[in-house]
Amino acid sequence: MLPILFQDEHLVAIHKPAGLLVHRSELDRHETRFAVQLLRDQLGRHVYPAHRLDRGTSGVLLFALDRDTARALGAQFEGQQVLKTYLAVVRGHPPEAGHIDHPLSRRRDDKEWVGEKSSDEAQPAVTDFRRLAVCELPHQVDRYPTSRYALLELTPHTGRRHQIRRHLKHIAHPIIGDSTFGKGRHNRLFQELFDCHRMLLACARLQLTHPHTSQPLDLVAPPDGEFAALLDALHWSEALPAALAGRAPSESPLP
């Protein structure tokens, strides 16, 4: 059963596990499990994904339950009216905060139709980040005797494919566990030390407007599984903002 974060007659949001495809892909033609199919079978009705998460990315995945709602959600995502918050563990110690404004060329599926008006020119892509925690492990991976890592909170303001992964590679702080844009030696260290075999990227929060009630929706998927275990192992759990950790903000002390 897929964990349901929110559901009404128009929408359903799940916590997608890492390793699960959203829908059938030519890149993984032998895969037989997809979030769309599993959720359809779980609810007994058609579902329409409002956005996509990479196979290795976990976190909030939102679906519409009818075509009109799907169109309305699509307009919010296209209009950059949905606030997305991600968590990632990266190599190195990035600045405390940063703004990545780096256009990205279009990445297509193998069988994606390309029309006359389609372009492969780089498209604007913007991601903001802030550093939540850092560590230095006594293990040599590159030429230094120790290895540095950091936990980041990221806000992508555009929706290019693999945007966060490509932006973090661009600033030389790739995501741990990313086999495409990351570094194999660092990925293997986390497998050996922490038994962590997933990409450490998660969509922790989506904030949007309900397309029918106009009420704000705040959908949160705190890290779980291997991601949560790693945060505990590195003593980073308390570095998570209260909202992303699924806990209420601490009250101010009484005078």
Side-chain angles (χ1 to χ4, degrees), residues 89-100:
V89 176
V90 303
R91 186 191 71 175
H93 286 179
E96 290 188 3
H99 177 79
I100 308 170

Side-chain angles (χ1 to χ4, degrees), residues 5 15 60 203-206 218-222 243-246:
L5 303 171
H15 189 161
V60 184
C203 179
R205 191 179 195 184
L206 284 184
D218 192 353
L219 308 170
V220 178
L244 302 187

Side-chain angles (χ1 to χ4, degrees), residues 9-12 36-37 39-49 63-67:
E9 65 268 35
H10 303 291
L11 306 170
V12 59
V36 170
Q37 174 192 17
L39 187 59
R40 179 196 65 200
D41 294 345
Q42 184 171 328
L43 300 180
R45 61 187 298 180
H46 284 292
V47 296
Y48 306 84
F63 295 82
L65 296 177
D66 58 79
R67 293 186 185 277

Side-chain angles (χ1 to χ4, degrees), residues 3 9 16 20 23 59 67 99 108 119 122 125 127 131 140 151 153 160 162 168 183 186 199 212 214 217 234 252 255:
E9 65 268 35
K16 184 187 90 67
L20 181 65
H23 46 64
R67 293 186 185 277
H99 177 79
R108 303 179 187 277
S119 172
T127 305
R131 197 180 71 198
Q140 183 170 357
L151 174 66
E153 177 187 274
R160 310 306 174 203
H162 306 323
L168 288 172
K183 293 287 187 179
H186 293 275
M199 180 169 67
H212 293 280
S214 299
L217 276 178
L234 294 176
S252 300

